[in-house]
Amino acid sequence: MKWKSISFKLFAVTSLVFIGCLTIMMLLQLAFFEPYYVREKTGGFLRDFEQARQRFMQETPDEHTVPAYFANLEEPYYATTAILTLSRSGDLLVSVGKGNGKDKFLRLRAPASVNERNPGALYSPLLPDLPTITPFPDVEMDKLLAGLDQWFQNAERQRKVLVQAEQVSFFMDVQLTTDSNRRQFVVIAPLNVRNGEGTVLAAVSSLQPVGDAVSAFRGFYSYFYLLAAAGALLLVLLYSRMITRPLRLLNNTALRMAKLDFREQSGIRRSDEIGSLSETLNFLSENLNKALSELQEANAKLQEDIEKEKRLERLRREFVAGVSHELKTPISLISGFAEALQDNVGDGKKRDRYAAVIREETSRMAGIVNDMLDLTQMETGQYRLVLDDFRLDELVCHLAEKLQDHPGSGGKRIELQLLPVAVRADRFRIEQVLTNLLGNAIRHTPDNGRLGIRMMLEAKSVRTVVWNEGEQIPEDELSHIWDHFYRVEKSRERDSGGTGIGLAIVRQILQLHNGLYEVRNTAGGVEFSFSLPADGSRTWESRGNLRH
């Protein structure tokens, strides 16, 4: 537990409050419990004493013995009651009661010689004579006689009772025969007095029980204080940990959030303010995590767009360079042969050849422009497919025958493995796809190499594969081969053919048809393939190789 932590501060403050309250409570009990108890006991004793006196005066005013119902006064207050019958001769008849209904009498006589110690008193201090009957313990006798002796020694108290008919009460400490000093509460009140004679009710109550309890408490409180302090410290420690533990968990969650780690939540499930704070922190964590994820995705997309833009910019430069190279040669040829024709250079055969070159280069330039326009329309979404049902195998066979007859094919044969399958697609654009793939295969097939087309029927589509023997495409180039303006051959030689637009057009057409396409290297060359939805109800059979 760190000294500056809230856990230690809470523990220290709460401990001081608990121990301070415990100390004050014990000191207050030790200081005020006994006076409070004495006040309550004497007040109750005086009230019950007066009730017993009033009852006696109403029921038996001339009686000289203690009635049995005085036991209700004696037992709760550890008291001894007596009825005193006084006479001018100095004799005093005392009837002592202890609640069993039997009469107990004691006759006392005061020697005249002791009257000098208390001049002005109606009666002198008493010395016990031989009692007529002494059926009670000496302790009770000592208490009663000591109380009467204290009363007789005070002339003012005597006059209040015997002359003024008033009640008197006082405390006294008595050395009893048991060698213990006990504090007593004495109450004396008149019953039937006239001219200093008559009957008086006296009661002596012991206050020793509460004194014994307070003495025992003083010894017990030292142990109780230590146990209570230890218990309070333990409870405060548990209480401080109960309060600070969720705060530490919330702090750990906040520290993880500060490090942009929003995966873990606080896990506190409570219905109080700490639980509400935990839910708010978890809600904040979820929102920040969502916002951070979106920001990371946006940043990744932005980086991807930037990289794509850089690549496109590079490809555009390459495209401009390639197109410039592609257009520069035919423009130069057209310009030169046109000038020769204009200057009437050569005979008729030469002029026909010059015109043929001009037408060939013009057609080449038109092809480049048309490819660029087609690609632009497809990328901008301006082109709409014209769907039709046609036999794909017949289209492939027709294109293969046409390309094999083309002077640029170099006499290379195209091997065909076709299936009689009908597809629903844009016939013109699929023909363009096949033309580009077959032209690309013819250009990259060596003179003694092989190339061909095969068709395979899959679940609900037909897969067309255009393959050729020859040099493989580098693996790091395969992911970019479909990008427009891209060419594996960077030299831009006319013999290699193409401007990097053909495969980009193939990709756009197949995407418009929701078809699949791929390129991969094989053991002896390269293989391009694409899939289109097919009518699977037809059976398929292989066709032999086509050769001319």
Side-chain angles (χ1 to χ4, degrees):
M1 187 182 296
K2 297 182 179 180
W3 296 101
K4 294 183 179 181
S5 66
I6 187 173
S7 178
F8 174 76
K9 294 178 180 178
L10 185 62
F11 172 78
V13 172
T14 311
S15 297
L16 291 176
V17 171
F18 266 84
I19 294 178
C21 292
L22 181 63
T23 303
I24 293 173
M25 180 183 67
M26 294 181 63
L27 292 177
L28 289 175
Q29 287 183 355
L30 292 174
F32 298 104
F33 176 73
E34 184 175 6
Y36 172 79
Y37 182 83
V38 170
R39 183 175 66 253
E40 291 295 319
K41 185 175 181 180
T42 55
F45 182 68
L46 290 174
R47 181 183 63 252
D48 294 344
F49 176 86
E50 182 62 23
Q51 291 177 357
R53 186 176 78 91
Q54 293 295 333
R55 180 179 177 182
F56 180 86
M57 294 178 64
Q58 292 176 2
E59 295 180 359
T60 55
D62 297 330
E63 187 67 34
H64 296 279
T65 60
V66 179
Y69 57 81
F70 269 65
N72 297 330
L73 175 66
E74 296 170 342
E75 292 177 358
Y77 298 100
Y78 304 95
T80 301
T81 58
I83 294 179
L84 284 64
T85 303
L86 299 93
S87 64
R88 287 290 184 176
S89 62
D91 292 335
L92 179 64
L93 183 63
V94 181
S95 173
V96 183
K98 283 301 295 179
N100 56 7
K102 295 183 179 180
D103 296 334
K104 306 172 189 67
F105 292 97
L106 179 65
R107 183 176 289 108
L108 302 177
R109 183 178 294 111
S113 60
V114 299
N115 198 28
E116 298 175 357
R117 293 185 306 176
N118 189 20
L122 298 176
Y123 292 91
S124 301
L126 301 174
L127 293 177
D129 200 355
L130 292 176
T132 305
I133 301 175
T134 58
F136 41 83
D138 293 340
V139 173
E140 301 298 333
M141 179 67 148
D142 291 343
K143 291 195 302 183
L144 179 61
L145 293 180
L148 294 177
D149 187 61
Q150 290 284 335
W151 179 56
F152 281 126
Q153 287 185 16
N154 192 305
E156 183 179 356
R157 292 172 182 166
Q158 285 190 41
R159 285 190 174 85
K160 282 188 177 182
V161 176
L162 299 178
V163 178
Q164 300 175 8
E166 297 179 1
Q167 175 182 290
V168 296
S169 60
F170 54 90
F171 294 96
M172 69 175 181
D173 294 325
V174 181
Q175 186 69 35
L176 302 174
T177 57
T178 57
D179 296 329
S180 60
N181 187 17
R182 297 198 175 188
R183 197 175 190 197
Q184 309 294 322
F185 182 62
V186 182
V187 182
I188 301 176
L191 292 175
N192 187 8
V193 294
R194 184 177 299 175
N195 297 326
E197 297 182 341
T199 56
V200 177
L201 178 62
V204 181
S205 175
S206 176
L207 298 178
Q208 187 61 26
V210 66
D212 294 338
V214 172
S215 298
F217 281 161
R218 288 192 178 96
F220 171 74
Y221 270 4
S222 59
Y223 301 100
F224 175 77
Y225 184 78
L226 294 177
L227 292 175
L233 292 177
L234 179 61
L235 290 176
V236 170
L237 179 61
L238 296 176
Y239 163 75
S240 62
R241 289 185 179 275
M242 181 182 66
I243 295 298
T244 57
R245 181 178 177 275
L247 295 179
R248 290 197 300 270
L249 293 177
L250 293 176
N251 183 60
N252 293 334
T253 303
L255 290 176
R256 289 196 300 269
M257 292 174 60
K259 298 178 181 178
L260 302 181
D261 182 7
F262 307 106
R263 295 172 296 177
E264 296 184 11
Q265 297 185 346
S266 64
I268 299 175
R269 298 294 182 267
R270 298 170 55 163
S271 57
D272 54 8
E273 290 79 0
I274 294 179
S276 177
L277 178 60
S278 174
E279 292 180 359
T280 303
L281 196 62
N282 291 338
F283 179 74
L284 176 62
S285 177
E286 292 176 358
N287 287 345
L288 290 178
N289 187 32
K290 182 179 179 181
L292 182 61
S293 299
E294 293 176 352
L295 182 61
Q296 290 175 342
E297 292 177 0
N299 185 58
K301 189 175 184 302
L302 179 61
Q303 292 293 333
E304 182 181 352
D305 292 341
I306 291 175
E307 293 297 327
K308 184 177 179 180
E309 186 65 27
K310 290 181 179 179
R311 187 174 72 253
L312 290 177
E313 182 63 27
R314 176 174 56 83
L315 294 177
R316 287 190 186 99
R317 289 196 299 267
E318 293 179 359
F319 170 75
V320 171
V323 170
S324 299
H325 178 77
E326 294 292 335
L327 295 178
K328 179 180 180 181
T329 300
I331 290 174
S332 298
L333 290 174
I334 292 172
S335 176
F337 284 112
E339 289 179 359
L341 291 175
Q342 187 177 12
D343 294 338
N344 295 317
V345 176
D347 54 12
K349 290 184 177 180
K350 274 190 175 182
R351 294 174 66 86
D352 291 340
R353 187 170 62 85
Y354 293 166
V357 170
I358 292 174
R359 287 196 302 270
E360 181 181 351
E361 296 301 328
T362 302
S363 176
R364 180 180 178 85
M365 293 175 59
I368 294 174
V369 173
N370 288 333
D371 287 345
M372 293 175 61
L373 292 175
D374 289 344
L375 185 61
T376 302
Q377 286 183 344
M378 293 177 186
E379 287 183 338
T380 57
Q382 297 177 358
Y383 183 80
R384 294 294 180 266
L385 296 176
V386 180
L387 300 179
D388 191 13
D389 294 326
F390 62 92
R391 285 279 294 272
L392 183 61
D393 57 314
E394 294 178 353
L395 177 63
V396 172
C397 184
H398 170 71
L399 290 175
E401 292 176 353
K402 184 171 66 173
L403 289 176
Q404 284 186 147
D405 294 337
H406 194 275
S409 64
K412 300 171 185 175
R413 74 171 188 172
I414 301 175
E415 300 178 4
L416 301 178
Q417 291 178 321
L418 307 179
L419 303 176
V421 178
V423 296
R424 183 171 180 80
D426 190 323
R427 181 186 179 93
F428 174 75
R429 292 302 177 184
I430 297 300
E431 181 178 354
Q432 190 175 7
V433 168
L434 290 169
T435 301
N436 288 346
L437 293 179
L438 280 172
N440 184 71
I442 292 173
R443 284 193 302 271
H444 292 89
T445 302
D447 292 339
N448 58 350
R450 300 166 55 232
L451 73 152
I453 300 176
R454 67 176 180 268
M455 295 172 61
M456 295 178 292
L457 191 63
E458 297 179 343
K460 293 184 179 181
S461 63
V462 58
R463 184 182 178 203
T464 304
V465 180
V466 180
W467 58 273
N468 69 279
E469 294 178 346
E471 186 179 355
Q472 295 182 337
I473 300 174
E475 292 295 331
D476 58 343
E477 304 279 356
L478 288 176
S479 59
H480 305 295
I481 197 69
W482 302 101
D483 293 342
H484 52 290
F485 317 135
Y486 192 86
R487 288 182 60 183
V488 177
E489 175 60 48
K490 303 297 191 296
S491 63
R492 299 291 179 184
E493 295 179 357
R494 285 174 59 88
D495 293 339
S496 64
T499 60
I501 303 176
L503 292 180
I505 293 176
V506 169
R507 182 191 63 179
Q508 291 295 330
I509 293 174
L510 293 176
Q511 286 180 349
L512 290 174
H513 283 83
N514 295 321
L516 302 178
Y517 57 92
E518 65 175 346
V519 58
R520 66 185 185 90
N521 291 319
T522 61
V526 180
E527 183 177 281
F528 287 84
S529 65
F530 65 92
S531 297
L532 292 174
D535 184 0
S537 64
R538 302 190 183 184
T539 59
W540 57 278
E541 58 186 37
S542 63
R543 296 180 61 128
N545 296 337
L546 178 64
R547 182 177 179 181
H548 292 275

